[in-house]
Amino acid sequence: MRATARIRATRAGDTTVLPLLAGDGPFDLRRARPHGHQARVCVVGAMSAPLGGDRLRIEATAEPGAHLHITTAAATIALRGPTTAHATYDVHLNVAEHASLHWLPQPLISAARSNLRQSCTIDLAPTARLLLREQIVLGRADEPPGRLTTRLTVNRDGRPLLDQQTSYGPGAPGWDGPAIAAGHRAIGQILIIDPVLDRHPPHARLLGDDPATGQAVLTPLAGPAILITALAPDTLHLDHLMEAAYTLQ
């Protein structure tokens, strides 16, 4: 299956409107109640996806001065499907001058024997703001994970700000060792990009006293940006760690 969802937010006076909201395949796009100047969209899964061989894509643009918030109605579960070929799930976000975009999907679950390559590519104008949250769960209850490769690429004002790629599951070297998952099943990160951080840069911090119950680290990036990365045995501990780190930034 090949499917693409397209979202475009435009400023109209003191509010943000959605002149483009189009989805097909598993993407059912719903307008949610606005919050202040911010337009909100919820992506509802209309069918099981991604399955092996699927090619899925979401494109979202916040035009100058627009404010857009996107979430998903439920977790995304990567499944094997009728073929062993890998699936792709690509997200492309564009945020223009004085615009903001919140990308806050529910967790991605890598089910046993699945094979997914997920990417998120973001292009930001110099005055744009971004809040991104991603969570990964490696396997459902009492099962191993599938093969998962994720890549996050962020460009600000045409220059690279962040480019990271990680692989998990069968065939991925060292994925369960101390350099990556460290035996944990839940992995998350929050990326905050805001020009105000140039004037008030944060300090690096480590949260969590017991590695067995999870830890999080807040890391300033080379730019007006903060990256929070967390590992935990389950999503409950992960949520607590990420929330604690976010409130400290």
Side-chain angles (χ1 to χ4, degrees):
M1 175 177 60
R2 293 179 179 271
T4 300
R6 295 182 175 88
I7 303 166
R8 180 161 56 90
T10 302
R11 182 168 180 171
D14 291 332
T15 190
T16 298
V17 297
L18 299 167
L20 177 62
L21 199 62
D24 59 6
F27 299 125
D28 183 7
L29 306 182
R30 307 282 183 89
R31 286 179 170 86
R33 185 185 298 274
H35 181 74
H37 303 308
Q38 188 183 69
R40 296 194 164 196
V41 176
C42 183
V43 182
V44 178
M47 61 183 72
S48 293
L51 306 177
D54 285 351
R55 299 292 182 263
L56 307 180
R57 180 181 177 96
I58 295 179
E59 300 173 358
T61 298
E63 295 187 341
H67 304 289
L68 178 60
H69 177 288
I70 304 173
T71 188
T72 56
T76 297
I77 304 178
L79 299 167
R80 178 184 176 185
T83 172
T84 58
H86 74 269
T88 62
Y89 194 140
D90 300 321
V91 176
H92 288 253
L93 308 176
N94 289 278
V95 192
E97 295 285 0
H98 303 290
S100 68
L101 194 151
H102 293 182
W103 173 253
L104 306 172
Q106 297 297 317
L108 168 66
I109 301 173
S110 176
R113 297 181 299 280
S114 64
N115 188 352
L116 176 64
R117 299 177 186 177
Q118 177 182 265
S119 70
C120 184
T121 303
I122 304 169
D123 290 295
L124 302 168
T127 56
R129 289 176 289 135
L130 175 78
L131 172 60
L132 174 146
R133 184 192 65 214
E134 293 184 326
Q135 294 175 289
I136 295 169
V137 180
L138 299 174
R140 293 172 293 189
D142 299 321
E143 75 171 10
R147 178 66 184 267
L148 173 64
T149 298
T150 67
R151 184 169 184 177
L152 175 61
T153 304
V154 183
N155 298 301
R156 180 174 182 265
D157 195 18
R159 298 178 179 178
L161 188 149
L162 176 66
D163 194 347
Q164 64 176 27
Q165 178 171 305
T166 310
S167 294
Y168 309 91
W175 71 273
D176 203 22
I180 303 180
H184 290 301
R185 290 169 50 87
I187 300 164
Q189 61 183 13
I190 297 173
L191 176 64
I192 303 165
I193 301 175
D194 192 326
V196 74
L197 294 173
D198 274 334
R199 301 190 299 273
H200 304 287
H203 301 290
R205 301 178 188 179
L206 178 67
L207 290 86
D209 297 327
D210 183 2
T213 59
Q215 289 185 303
V217 61
L218 185 154
T219 306
L221 301 182
I226 301 168
L227 181 64
I228 298 167
T229 304
L231 300 172
D234 52 49
T235 55
L236 180 62
H237 286 88
L238 184 71
D239 286 340
H240 288 164
L241 280 168
M242 293 177 71
E243 181 64 25
Y246 180 72
T247 57
L248 287 176
Q249 58 88 25

